[in-house]
Amino acid sequence: MPRFFIDYVPDDEAVLTGENARHAAKSLRMRPGEAITLCDCLGYDYLGEVTRVDEDAVHVKILEIRKSFAEPSVRVTLCQALPKSDKMDWIVQKAVELGVWRIQPVLTARCIARPDAKAAAKRVQRWQKIALEAAKQSGRGIIPEVTELCPFDCAVQAAQGRRILFYEGGGKRVPELVSAQDTALTLFIGPEGGFTPEEVALVQSLGGENATLGPRILRAETAPLAALTAVMVVTDNM
């Protein structure tokens, strides 16, 4: 069923305008009588039926309101060290599909990619668009935010919930650090060269712990997806 995110959904009838209307009317060729789902970006789905399609608007009758079943019980922030090339595109898309709440791109000591402010802003815009499309595809109840690129120490200081750093040097297994009762976690994933000892020590100094994803060394684009999957399994969200 087609899914659209809009800022406000009335209880009885909604009207899609702008890009949403163009996509519904021209790309999807929706017609009166077809089923459609609207989402208020707050975790609620509005099941509806198209009643009229105009040149610049699509009218939808709301039939049922329900809480999105796709949203995890734990809010996971992924602090991902910026990888090379376009690997971050893949990470953002798959992380949203797996249930991430927020994605924080970070610059660590060993990051090879170091875009200037203008280039970084453009990348964040692209990643946010990827997050939107992934949220639609996977039936999410929110659009996970992709925040501005920031230094690693700033991300560590601002972290919400338990801090868990996935370290190639070893650490505890995910089930030893996470439980179904957790409501907020921040996961730190390093770049191709890994974290420096100083970065590991910073996280530990603020109460964070090291975690392991097993004896194999995972690529920078594989590790965050493995970590998210493990967390979702342990917290009964998969």
Side-chain angles (χ1 to χ4, degrees), residues 4 7 11 56-57 68 74 119 133 143 154 172 177 189 203 214 236 238:
F4 293 85
D7 294 332
D11 292 341
D56 56 357
S68 173
V74 58
E133 295 305 319
I143 305 170
C154 293
K172 295 181 179 179
L177 297 171
I189 304 292
V203 174
D236 295 329
M238 183 170 280

Side-chain angles (χ1 to χ4, degrees), residues 7-234:
D7 294 332
Y8 171 69
V9 185
D11 292 341
D12 50 358
E13 184 181 68
V15 181
L16 297 180
T17 58
E19 181 59 33
N20 278 339
R22 287 190 290 272
H23 183 63
K26 297 182 180 180
S27 299
L28 299 180
R29 298 183 181 278
M30 299 197 73
R31 295 293 180 264
E34 292 191 63
I36 189 172
T37 298
L38 307 182
C39 181
D40 61 4
C41 303
L42 298 174
Y44 285 89
D45 291 342
Y46 295 71
L47 309 186
E49 177 183 291
V50 175
T51 57
R52 193 170 85 240
V53 179
D54 298 330
E55 184 176 344
D56 56 357
V58 175
H59 299 258
V60 179
K61 180 181 179 181
I62 304 302
L63 303 175
E64 180 184 352
I65 304 173
R66 67 187 183 192
K67 190 172 180 61
S68 173
F69 68 88
E71 286 310 303
S73 60
V74 58
R75 289 186 168 185
V76 180
T77 297
L78 172 63
C79 286
Q80 174 66 50
L82 192 61
K84 295 185 293 184
S85 64
D86 60 353
K87 294 176 182 178
M88 194 68 177
D89 292 5
W90 168 269
I91 293 171
V92 169
Q93 182 187 67
K94 301 310 173 186
V96 171
E97 291 178 21
L98 288 168
V100 77
W101 181 62
R102 176 191 289 136
I103 299 172
Q104 171 68 74
V106 297
L107 279 176
T108 65
R110 293 175 178 167
C111 282
I112 296 173
R114 292 185 175 277
D116 59 28
K118 185 176 181 180
K122 287 184 177 180
R123 289 192 185 188
V124 170
Q125 287 182 343
R126 172 177 171 78
W127 296 329
Q128 190 63 69
K129 185 175 181 179
I130 291 173
L132 169 61
E133 295 305 319
K136 290 179 181 179
Q137 180 274 323
S138 57
R140 294 292 302 271
I142 66 167
I143 305 170
E145 178 189 12
V146 182
T147 61
E148 294 181 359
L149 181 66
C150 76
F152 179 74
D153 58 343
C154 293
V156 176
Q157 294 284 348
Q160 298 182 17
R162 188 175 304 176
R163 298 172 175 87
I164 301 176
L165 182 141
F166 287 87
Y167 187 42
E168 67 274 13
K172 295 181 179 179
R173 297 172 59 250
V174 172
E176 298 176 79
L177 297 171
V178 179
S179 74
Q181 284 68 51
D182 283 310
T183 57
L185 301 169
T186 297
L187 313 182
F188 295 92
I189 304 292
E192 288 82 358
F195 289 113
T196 65
E198 292 77 16
E199 289 166 341
V200 175
L202 175 61
V203 174
Q204 293 175 337
S205 71
L206 293 173
E209 295 192 73
N210 294 354
T212 179
L213 289 170
R216 294 162 297 282
I217 302 298
L218 304 182
R219 290 182 179 274
E221 67 270 31
T222 306
L225 309 184
L228 277 168
T229 299
V231 165
M232 291 302 165
V233 169
V234 172

